[in-house]
């Protein structure tokens, strides 16, 4: 259970760091969404670029079955590497954004 709390802290710390950047568009805000009851964590961009509505999930991480799932990463940041450097075993990191049949060829968990 302590490991699960540690994973929550790692994720919230990373997303807080990544979410501190300024959006390029003036009318776009960055929102951090932390659902700690269900273990869903996201960074959203919400706003307007002129007449165009901006609503984008930039990063989405989940904790499922005591593993960290990277569901979406629209940045150049290597989230899995950052988590591994923080001490998360590679088998506890699942690249959910990769098809399940390809995960065995990554250096991370297959779940």
């Amino acid at each position: 259970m302590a490991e699960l709390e540690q994973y929550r802290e790692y994720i919230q710390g990373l997303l807080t760091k990544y979410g501190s950047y300024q959006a390029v568009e003036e009318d776009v805000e960055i929102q951090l969404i932390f659902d700690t009851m269900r273990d869903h964590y996201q960074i959203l961009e919400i706003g307007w670029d002129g007449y165009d509505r901006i609503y984008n999930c930039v990063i989405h991480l989940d904790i499922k079955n005591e593993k960290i799932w990277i569901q979406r990463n629209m940045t150049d940041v290597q989230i899995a590497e950052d988590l591994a450097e923080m001490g998360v075993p590679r088998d506890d990191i699942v690249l959910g954004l990769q098809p399940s049949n390809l995960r065995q060829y990554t250096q991370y968990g297959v779940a």
Side-chain angles (χ1 to χ4, degrees), residues 15-78:
L15 295 190
T16 298
K17 181 178 87 175
Y18 300 151
S20 65
Y21 76 91
Q22 295 293 320
V24 175
E25 297 84 8
E26 185 175 309
D27 292 333
V28 174
E29 70 177 284
I30 305 300
Q31 292 187 357
L32 301 177
I33 310 295
F34 296 161
D35 178 354
T36 57
M37 296 291 291
R38 295 169 198 83
D39 286 321
H40 304 297
Y41 306 88
Q42 298 180 344
I43 296 177
L44 298 178
E45 292 179 323
I46 299 174
W48 292 92
D49 180 15
Y51 293 106
D52 294 325
R53 177 72 171 152
I54 304 293
Y55 186 89
N56 183 30
C57 176
V58 180
I59 296 175
H60 177 170
L61 304 177
D62 290 331
I63 299 175
K64 299 191 314 186
N65 299 323
E66 301 179 6
K67 295 186 178 201
I68 298 174
W69 284 66
I70 300 172
Q71 304 287 19
R72 183 175 178 97
N73 180 9
M74 300 301 291
T75 72
D76 294 333
V77 176
Q78 299 296 318

